[in-house]
């Protein structure tokens, strides 16, 4: 029988790689510096209206469109929901195993092997419930952070009212 610690470590490693998208395994694109003070860019009203602090902030944040946020957000929601369902289901199965074991002890029925089998199954259900809870937390954390980034950058997920702030978002400010 495989060691449960190795199984948990393998599951944790696989989950981490899936959630992060193996981000550390590929080269990240480098930012290209753009001089917003160039004369040909000064003909645009958006560029002329920027102060030097705003120019520096735009260069640091790299305001290219973020089309990754909706799929990443919904992947986080799906992973969190799957984890929540798993937590509830595995916790219920662990409770049933506990009740069966208590029933065997109170009745004096069942062999030692039967009791050990139910106890081992209960430990597996409890470990799966904890793992599902961790998946739930990771999934919902990814969704919350993704939505926050999208809201901050006026992305497709944010449904802000059409105000001056929304117009500024559309103009890239």
């Amino acid at each position: 029988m495989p060691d449960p610690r190795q199984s948990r470590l393998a599951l944790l490693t696989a989950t981490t790689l899936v959630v992060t998208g193996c981000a550390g395994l590929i080269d990240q694109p480098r930012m290209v510096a753009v001089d917003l003070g160039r004369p040909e860019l000064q003909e645009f009203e958006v560029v002329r209206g920027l102060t030097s602090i705003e120019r520096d902030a735009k260069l640091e944040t790299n305001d290219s469109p973020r089309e990754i946020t909706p799929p990443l957000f919904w992947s986080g929601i799906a992973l969190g929901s799957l984890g929540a369902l798993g937590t509830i289901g595995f916790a219920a199965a662990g409770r049933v195993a506990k009740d069966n074991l208590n029933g065997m002890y109170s009745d004096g029925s069942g062999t030692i092997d039967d009791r050990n089998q139910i106890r081992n199954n209960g430990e597996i259900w409890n470990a799966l419930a904890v793992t599902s809870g961790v998946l739930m937390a990771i999934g919902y954390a990814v969704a919350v952070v993704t939505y926050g980034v999208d809201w901050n950058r006026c992305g497709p997920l944010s449904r802000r009212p059409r105000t001056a702030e929304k117009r500024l978002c559309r103009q890239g400010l």
Side-chain angles (χ1 to χ4, degrees), residues 80-93 125 128-133 136:
S81 299
L82 183 67
L85 289 174
T87 300
I88 293 168
F90 293 134
W125 293 128
L128 288 172
V130 169
T131 304
S132 296
M136 176 184 66

Side-chain angles (χ1 to χ4, degrees), residues 143-161:
V144 166
V145 169
T146 303
Y147 188 81
V149 168
D150 191 76
W151 176 270
N152 191 31
R153 295 184 177 168
C154 302
L157 291 174
S158 66
R159 301 221 184 261
R160 295 186 188 178

Side-chain angles (χ1 to χ4, degrees), residues 25-38:
L25 302 178
I26 58 173
D27 287 338
Q28 300 297 319
R30 302 283 182 232
M31 284 183 33
V32 177
V34 176
D35 182 16
L36 294 176
R38 292 176 30 199

Side-chain angles (χ1 to χ4, degrees), residues 11 15 19 76 79-84 130-140:
L11 180 63
T15 302
V19 170
L79 183 65
S81 299
L82 183 67
V130 169
T131 304
S132 296
V134 170
L135 285 178
M136 176 184 66
I138 289 171
Y140 289 146

Side-chain angles (χ1 to χ4, degrees), residues 62-69 150 153 155-156:
N62 191 13
D63 285 335
S64 60
R66 301 289 195 268
E67 294 299 323
I68 190 68
T69 53
D150 191 76
R153 295 184 177 168

